[in-house]
């Protein structure tokens, strides 16, 4: 035995002896098997999984990385020689660099230094690689080269496929319901969304003739505001972590889009894409705060960084969502979907561009540039995607242009603020009207001697309304008829006095009827309902302090509202007919009202000739609608009578039970010897007490110096 072994402590020797004896006996000195309370019964089978026991802990279990989660492979790139490889790398890095930070890249070449047409990219984060695969796959570089993108780890996955095929498990389909179910209502009632209680409660309502009917109501549905999609299929709510979409008869969540602190959202007209904007940047190395999403899959299609000079909406869409444009300093970039690449792979260099706007019906785009030296200011209309100039209008001494398209794309109205002479002291005003449906697109000009407060084109017609003058002294409203092949003619000028001044024009979606309103200043709330077919004032009314006005999609109703976001008192909304007759006001239950938004309707599926036939036979249908209205009124009266009858029945039943209880009480008092008197009232002794209740408490600070 060595010296080291001899010097072991006695206590340690004793522990070893105890341990050896325990091992020989097959028992534990401290926990004897015979006395243990932790044994499983005989035949016990443990069928509880780790996920059930430790589900909250296993989700944070560290994963073993293979090292290739951030690596992707891109195929079908152009095969070029060594003299063009560097230029191609620049283009490819620009395409895939928007998905994240590229930390490594490899472009294989053959023995002649010819690029093989595929390359490898490694991103900083696996999430960036996932985004690159989802969005980059199918990217069209040109007509002959459409990228195929996949993960590098897919090689091992497909290499080690099992010999025996096992069919994949069916994914349970989640049915959200018909996102346009409200259109099936037999009475064609429109829906709206109302936000109240200072934004904490949201209700989707149905606009019945005599009152508003709540379809669904939820608390804390949104954290800021909400918005309908352009065709009414989805309701978007904003939250701290992103945006959620809701649809179907029960308004189930159909999608969510994660971006912190979203401030603004916008939809493409086709509802396929959603644009979100946030000042908060998730990744400082990739400061993209404008994101375009696919509304159906939730995929992130493209991201942009906002420039300081850009104003919302930053991305402007064509009428069908096929193209969208973005204006930066001296550049107008047009992108096409679904590739989300630049149209023709290049932006248009337009020095000094100030604004642009798409036609609501065609692939026509208008923009304007200011004067530069001796070069006059210009309004230019382009045809996309060819970029051919359809029309150009030049003007000198221009201060500003304001573009406004006709809803059907028939006209482009431009408000022109220009100076009278080179001294640039006196401003003049005019309206340029581009006739988009006529050959060579002629331009007519309406000279207006006074400042233009507001102007608007009739949606389904050819009239133009202009509010002009010097507020608050005296302003006027003038209506013009835009004639085909001729100059616009003045229909009528309305002189409006100071106490009834208006500053907003709201055309009915179906045209002909218009509301002139004052929605600014302390005297806001004045409303005038006009029929421009006969130029008659149907009604003039008042909604004190009204801050918003909105027509319903059919043009039958108008809502004026006072938001708690504008003032704290007398909030709510009022429903009007298109003739200006007050129908009802929001109920007291919708207190601390915030906003009211009509649910948009999708474009009609009827052809133009069918719509004309319906308008021609309108009298034939009017009797049916009048009868339905009378039935609705009688039904409402019948419901009211039934409600009153039910209340009376409940009262009689309550009174019968009370009288029965009173008779029992009287009988008991008589049996106890209590004199109930002639009128049946017990003569009991009462003690009068005075009770003092503190109603309120006021504290005042007394100035000792006074």
């Amino acid at each position: 035995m060595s010296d080291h072994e001899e010097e072991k402590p006695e206590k340690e020797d004793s522990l070893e002896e105890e341990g050896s004896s325990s091992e020989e006996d097959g028992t534990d000195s401290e926990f004897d098997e015979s006395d243990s309370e932790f044994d499983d019964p005989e035949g016990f089978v443990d069928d509880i999984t780790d996920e059930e026991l430790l589900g909250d802990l296993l989700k944070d279990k560290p994963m073993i990385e293979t090292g290739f989660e951030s690596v992707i492979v891109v195929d079908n790139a152009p095969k070029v020689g060594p003299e063009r490889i560097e230029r191609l790398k620049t283009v490819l890095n620009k395409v895939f660099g928007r998905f994240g930070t590229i930390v490594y890249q490899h472009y294989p070449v053959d023995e002649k230094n010819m690029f093989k047409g595929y390359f490898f990219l490694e991103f900083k984060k696996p999430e960036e690689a996932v985004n690159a695969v989802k969005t980059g796959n199918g990217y069209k570089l040109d007509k002959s080269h459409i990228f195929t993108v996949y993960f590098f780890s897919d090689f091992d996955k497909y290499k080690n496929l099992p010999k025996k095929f096992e069919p994949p498990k069916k994914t349970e389909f989640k049915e959200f319901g018909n996102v346009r179910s409200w259109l099936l209502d037999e009475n064609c009632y429109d829906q709206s969304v109302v936000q109240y209680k200072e934004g904490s409660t949201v209700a989707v309502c149905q606009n019945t003739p005599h009152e508003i009917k709540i379809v669904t109501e939820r608390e804390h549905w949104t954290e800021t505001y909400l918005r309908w999609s352009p065709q009414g299929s989805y309701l978007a709510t904003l939250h701290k972590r992103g945006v959620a979409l809701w649809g179907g008869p029960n308004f189930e969540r159909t999608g969510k889009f994660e971006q912190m602190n979203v401030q603004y959202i916008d939809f493409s007209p086709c509802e396929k894409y959603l644009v979100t904007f946030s000042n908060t940047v998730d990744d400082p190395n990739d400061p993209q705060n404008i994101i375009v999403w696919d509304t159906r899959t939730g995929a992130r299609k493209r991201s942009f960084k906002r420039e300081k000079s850009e104003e919302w909406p930053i991305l402007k869409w064509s009428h069908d969502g096929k193209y969208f444009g973005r204006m930066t300093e001296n550049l107008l970039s047009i992108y096409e979907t679904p590739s989300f690449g630049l149209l023709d792979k290049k932006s248009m260099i337009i020095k000094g561009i100030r604004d642009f706007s798409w036609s609501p019906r065609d692939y026509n785009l208008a923009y304007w540039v200011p004067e530069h030296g001796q070069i006059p200011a210009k309004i230019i209309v382009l045809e996309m995607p060819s970029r051919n100039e359809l029309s150009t209008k030049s003007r000198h001494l221009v201060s500003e242009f304001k573009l406004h398209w006709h809803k059907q794309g028939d006209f482009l109205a431009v408000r022109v603020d220009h100076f009278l002479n080179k001294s640039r002291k006196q401003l003049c005003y005019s309206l340029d009207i581009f006739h988009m449906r006529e050959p060579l697109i002629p331009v007519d000009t309406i000279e207006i001697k006074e400042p233009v407060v507001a102007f608007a084109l009739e949606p389904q017609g050819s009239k133009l309304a202009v509010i002009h003058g010097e507020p608050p002294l005296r302003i006027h409203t003038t209506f013009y008829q835009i004639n085909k092949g001729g100059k616009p003619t003045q229909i009528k000028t309305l002189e409006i006095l100071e106490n009834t001044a208006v500053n907003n024009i709201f055309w009915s979606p179906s045209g002909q009827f218009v509301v002139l309103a004052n929605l600014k200043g302390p005297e806001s709330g004045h409303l005038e309902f006009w029929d421009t077919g006969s130029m008659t004032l149907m009604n003039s009314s008042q909604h004190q302090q009204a801050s918003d006005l909105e027509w319903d999609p059919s043009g039958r109703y108008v809502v004026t509202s006072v938001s708690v976001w504008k003032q704290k008192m007398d909030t709510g909304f009022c429903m009007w007919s298109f003739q200006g007759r007050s129908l009802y006001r929001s109920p007291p239950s919708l207190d601390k009202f915030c906003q009211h938004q009509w649910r948009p309707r999708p474009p009609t599926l009827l052809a133009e000739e069918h719509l004309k036939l319906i308008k021609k036979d309108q009298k034939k249908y009017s009797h049916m609608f009048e009868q339905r209205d009378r039935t609705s009124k009688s039904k409402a009266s019948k419901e009211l009578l039934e409600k009153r009858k039910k209340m009376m029945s409940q009262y009689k039943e309550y009174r019968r039970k009370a009288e029965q209880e009173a008779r029992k009480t009287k009988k008991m008092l008589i049996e106890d010897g209590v004199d109930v008197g002639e009128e049946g009232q017990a003569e009991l002794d009462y003690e009068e007490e005075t009770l003092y209740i503190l109603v309120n408490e006021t504290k005042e600070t007394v100035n000792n110096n006074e």
Side-chain angles (χ1 to χ4, degrees), residues 676-689:
V676 295
E678 296 180 358
E679 298 181 357
Q681 300 294 330
E683 297 179 359
L684 302 176
D685 295 332
Y686 294 95
E687 293 183 4
E688 184 178 349
E689 293 184 3

Side-chain angles (χ1 to χ4, degrees), residues 140 225 247 277 389 428 493 704:
K140 185 178 179 181
Y225 67 97
F277 167 77
E389 286 192 11
C428 298
T493 297
N704 295 329

Side-chain angles (χ1 to χ4, degrees), residues 589-651:
S589 58
L590 303 181
D591 62 327
K592 298 180 181 179
F593 167 84
C594 297
Q595 64 172 337
H596 175 283
Q597 293 183 51
W598 288 106
R599 188 172 191 173
R601 284 179 172 263
T604 179
L605 300 177
L606 296 175
E608 190 66 29
E609 56 269 17
H610 293 154
L611 293 175
K612 291 181 180 179
L613 184 62
I614 292 173
K615 291 180 180 179
K616 182 180 179 181
D617 298 337
Q618 187 173 1
K619 292 183 179 179
K620 183 173 70 174
Y621 302 109
S622 61
H623 299 292
M624 179 179 64
F625 294 134
E626 289 173 0
Q627 183 179 359
R628 184 175 292 181
D629 290 341
R630 287 193 296 268
T631 304
S632 176
K633 290 181 180 178
S634 63
K635 183 179 179 181
S637 302
K638 185 178 179 181
E639 289 178 354
L640 181 60
L641 290 174
E642 289 179 353
K643 183 178 180 181
R644 290 177 178 175
K645 186 177 179 181
K646 184 178 180 181
M647 292 174 65
M648 178 58 72
S649 177
Q650 292 174 349
Y651 167 71

Side-chain angles (χ1 to χ4, degrees), residues 209-447:
H210 309 289
E211 61 180 355
I212 196 166
K213 177 183 177 183
I214 295 180
V215 177
T216 183
E217 184 179 34
R218 300 179 189 178
E219 293 185 357
H220 308 293
W221 203 351
T222 182
E223 295 182 20
T224 53
Y225 67 97
L226 37 80
R227 181 176 175 180
W228 292 106
S229 60
Q231 298 181 16
S233 301
Y234 307 104
L235 178 65
T237 58
L238 276 70
H239 309 269
K240 185 177 181 180
R241 294 186 60 183
V243 179
L245 295 188
W246 310 82
N250 300 320
F251 287 92
E252 297 183 24
R253 192 175 69 184
T254 62
K256 61 178 181 179
F257 311 88
E258 294 188 6
Q259 185 183 17
M260 294 297 294
N261 301 320
V262 173
Q263 293 178 311
Y264 302 108
I265 63 172
D266 189 25
F267 286 89
S268 64
C270 59
E271 298 185 334
K272 290 182 180 179
Y273 307 108
L274 171 69
V275 184
T276 60
F277 167 77
S278 173
N279 275 328
T280 304
V281 178
D282 296 334
D283 186 359
N285 298 320
D286 186 27
Q288 312 297 322
N289 43 19
I290 306 166
I291 305 176
V292 185
W293 310 84
D294 189 307
T295 56
R296 296 175 184 174
T297 64
R300 181 170 170 168
K301 306 302 292 184
R302 178 141 192 180
S303 305
F304 300 92
K305 179 182 178 181
R306 176 182 176 267
E307 303 294 337
K308 293 183 179 179
S309 59
E310 291 181 298
E311 297 181 357
W312 190 261
I314 296 172
L315 307 182
K316 298 183 180 180
W317 296 86
S318 64
H319 68 283
D320 59 354
K322 186 176 181 180
Y323 304 101
F324 66 92
R326 183 192 183 197
M327 182 185 69
T328 52
E329 187 176 359
N330 300 325
L331 284 178
L332 178 58
S333 304
I334 306 298
Y335 300 85
E336 57 183 343
T337 59
S339 66
F340 286 85
L342 269 173
L343 182 64
D344 297 333
K345 303 297 182 293
K346 59 182 179 180
S347 300
M348 292 181 285
I349 301 175
I350 305 173
K351 190 172 183 179
I353 182 172
R354 292 287 184 85
D355 192 16
F356 76 100
S357 180
W358 289 93
S359 167
R361 281 296 179 94
D362 309 284
Y363 297 125
N364 296 333
L365 182 146
Y367 68 91
W368 72 275
V369 292
E371 287 185 74
H372 182 69
Q374 299 299 319
I375 302 174
K378 291 182 180 181
I379 305 167
I380 300 173
V381 181
L382 297 179
E383 180 187 45
M384 303 303 292
S386 64
R387 308 190 187 190
N388 295 330
E389 286 192 11
L390 299 178
S391 181
T392 303
K393 176 73 174 180
S394 301
R395 277 183 172 271
H396 287 280
L397 304 176
V398 171
S399 172
E400 186 180 10
F401 289 120
K402 186 69 176 179
L403 308 175
H404 184 86
W405 281 95
H406 183 255
K407 187 177 180 181
Q408 307 300 319
D410 297 342
F411 310 103
L412 171 64
V414 182
R415 190 194 75 186
V416 184
D417 299 351
H418 60 96
F419 296 100
L420 184 62
N421 49 46
K422 292 184 178 180
S423 63
R424 297 179 180 268
K425 292 182 179 180
Q426 184 178 352
L427 269 174
C428 298
Y429 309 90
S430 62
L431 292 171
D432 289 344
I433 310 297
F434 291 72
H435 297 254
M436 300 302 300
R437 304 301 182 199
E438 297 183 30
L440 302 179
I441 310 183
V443 182
D444 291 322
T445 300
I446 303 173
E447 296 292 343

